Amino acid sequence: RKEVEQDPGPFNVPEGATVAFNCTYSNSASQSFFWYRQDCRKEPKLLMSVYSSGNEDGRFTAQLNRASQYISLLIRDSKLSDSATYLCVVNKGSSYKLIFGSGTRLLVRP
Amino acid sequence: DGGITQSPKYLFRKEGQNVTLSCEQNLNHDAMYWYRQDPGQGLRLIYYSQIVNDFQKGDIAEGYSVSREKKESFPLTVTSAQKNPTAFYLCASSTISTNEKLFFGSGTQLSVL
């Protein structure tokens, strides 16, 4: 089993749609969780950290479910500019080493 | 402006040749990292360093070497022992904390001639 697993997609949605991605992780000792966004052939950029209580940043909402060991990202009112690959990132157990998922690709169409 | 700079953007390697990828940061970060990304896959850690003159192997260190002689610089050498070097290489830096944010360079695409 991979340490961090994501559905590769692509998720193909119309502008204005709401879309959600899940990511599962295998190590119950993990403490740090992030969503990064990566455009084609570019470097990943931090989208948001994920906190236990859940957090929201504009159209983006991230949630953590420790019992089921998954994190989620919800994007409301999708824009064309949201088209990218979204990487789930989790620290390795109790260490600071970060493990990247293989990413979920989102395509927002007009 | 503070940031992390990788060069070159594109690099070609001949069989049996060693090549070095440059990574420089002026963010005053203690930790620096090298990742490899293959198409459709996540980032895999090659090497990391938390302090000058010290570094540790990541998950796929074979065929690579690094040095950390200065806080600002963490060059990666892809040696001839790396038989499948074609990939997108990303350098990153961060502060040392339990909830660290990674700052990435713009990446180097390495291809074999």
Side-chain angles (χ1 to χ4, degrees):
Chain A
R1 181 186 173 187
K2 288 183 179 178
E3 292 179 277
V4 177
E5 289 201 74
Q6 294 183 252
D7 181 342
F11 285 64
N12 192 324
V13 302
E15 266 188 295
T18 295
V19 62
F21 312 135
N22 280 346
C23 164
T24 58
Y25 61 96
S26 61
N27 195 316
S28 59
S30 294
Q31 295 294 325
S32 300
F33 310 91
F34 309 90
W35 283 103
Y36 277 74
R37 171 197 168 124
Q38 185 175 27
D39 293 290
C40 190
R41 295 269 183 209
K42 297 288 181 70
E43 73 275 22
K45 293 183 179 177
L46 180 66
L47 180 65
M48 55 199 308
S49 303
V50 186
Y51 303 116
S52 298
S53 55
N55 47 301
E56 187 174 309
D57 183 2
R59 298 182 293 108
F60 299 85
T61 300
Q63 295 205 314
L64 167 64
N65 185 318
R66 286 190 185 275
S68 300
Q69 293 182 207
Y70 77 83
I71 66 173
S72 63
L73 178 67
L74 181 79
I75 305 175
R76 290 181 299 278
D77 187 24
S78 298
K79 311 291 184 192
L80 294 176
S81 57
D82 293 334
S83 296
T85 297
Y86 292 83
L87 302 172
C88 172
V89 184
V90 177
N91 79 302
K92 188 179 179 70
S94 55
S95 79
Y96 66 89
K97 282 179 63 176
L98 298 178
I99 306 297
F100 285 76
S102 56
T104 297
R105 192 167 168 219
L106 172 65
L107 300 173
V108 181
R109 63 181 188 271
Chain B
D1 286 339
I4 181 165
T5 302
Q6 282 187 246
S7 63
K9 192 172 179 65
Y10 300 97
L11 186 59
F12 297 91
R13 193 191 89 166
K14 295 179 181 178
E15 293 286 340
Q17 186 182 39
N18 292 354
V19 292
T20 298
L21 285 60
S22 170
C23 179
E24 304 276 335
Q25 55 98 0
N26 60 3
L27 299 166
N28 200 34
H29 285 166
D30 289 305
M32 296 187 74
Y33 311 81
W34 275 105
Y35 290 91
R36 169 181 171 140
Q37 187 175 31
D38 293 280
Q41 297 192 31
L43 280 65
R44 291 184 291 166
L45 184 63
I46 305 172
Y47 268 98
Y48 63 100
S49 168
Q50 290 183 273
I51 195 169
V52 173
N53 291 324
D54 188 44
F55 47 82
Q56 287 79 41
K57 293 181 179 179
D59 301 315
I60 54 164
E62 186 173 350
Y64 300 97
S65 66
V66 294
S67 63
R68 187 87 186 275
E69 297 177 1
K70 298 186 300 182
K71 187 176 183 178
E72 302 79 19
S73 179
F74 192 41
L76 174 74
T77 297
V78 183
T79 74
S80 57
Q82 172 50 245
K83 298 306 179 187
N84 184 23
T86 296
F88 189 49
Y89 290 85
L90 287 156
C91 180
S93 69
S94 73
T95 57
I96 302 291
S97 72
T98 58
N99 194 24
E100 57 196 76
K101 171 184 174 180
L102 289 176
F103 292 78
F104 283 91
S106 56
T108 294
Q109 175 63 47
L110 175 62
S111 302
V112 176
L113 290 174

